Amino acid sequence: MAQYSAQLDGVFVALADPTRRWVIRRLGHGPTSVGDLAREFSMTLPSFMKHVQTLESNGLIHTTKSGRVRTCVLNRDRLAVVDDWLAEQRRIWEERTDRLEHLVTDQQERQQ
C-alpha cells in the first residue's frame, strides 16, 4: 500500500502543474521533441526541462536522445495508477450514496 501511495502521490504532484498537464495532453497525440514542446511557453529551456524531469521521474513520460534532439513519449500505463485510484474512490462513494438512498427510502416508507 505504501508503494502504491508513493506512486500515486508522485503522479498527482506531477499533474498538479498546468504546464505539465499541457505536456501530457500534447504527448497524448504522439511523441514530440522537447524543443517543440517548450516553444509553447514563455520560459527558458532549462526551466521547461525541470517540468520534463518531474514528469519523467514520476514515470509519466520517458525521453530519448538522438543527436541533439530529445524526444518525449507519454507512458500511458502510468496514468492507470490514477484511473485505478479514481475507480476505487468512485466505488466507495457509490456504496455510500446507495446506503443513503436506502435509508431515505426506508424512512419514507415507514412514514406512509
Side-chain angles (χ1 to χ4, degrees):
M1 180 67 177
Q3 177 65 22
Y4 176 75
S5 179
Q7 291 176 359
L8 185 64
D9 290 349
V11 170
F12 278 131
V13 165
L15 295 175
D17 183 87
T19 299
R20 294 190 290 264
R21 287 193 306 270
W22 182 90
V23 169
I24 294 296
R25 272 193 303 274
R26 174 58 189 84
L27 293 177
H29 298 288
T32 307
S33 72
V34 169
D36 287 344
L37 292 169
R39 273 189 211 103
E40 298 294 323
F41 299 95
S42 59
M43 68 178 73
T44 65
L45 187 57
S47 295
F48 185 76
M49 282 303 296
K50 289 181 182 179
H51 289 289
V52 171
Q53 290 166 350
T54 299
L55 292 169
E56 192 167 26
S57 67
N58 286 293
L60 289 165
I61 68 171
H62 68 272
T63 63
T64 56
K65 190 169 184 178
S66 177
R68 294 178 54 161
V69 178
R70 181 171 293 280
T71 302
C72 300
V73 179
L74 180 63
N75 179 4
R76 295 174 189 276
D77 293 338
R78 188 60 159 180
L79 293 172
V81 172
V82 175
D83 194 39
D84 292 347
W85 182 81
L86 288 172
E88 180 183 345
Q89 297 307 306
R90 192 175 301 113
R91 181 190 55 76
I92 290 168
W93 283 101
E94 285 174 353
E95 288 174 1
R96 288 179 181 177
T97 56
D98 287 348
R99 286 195 309 260
L100 180 60
E101 180 183 7
H102 289 301
L103 177 67
V104 169
T105 303
D106 289 348
Q107 277 189 331
Q108 287 175 344
E109 288 175 356
R110 281 188 227 145
Q111 290 177 355
Q112 292 176 355

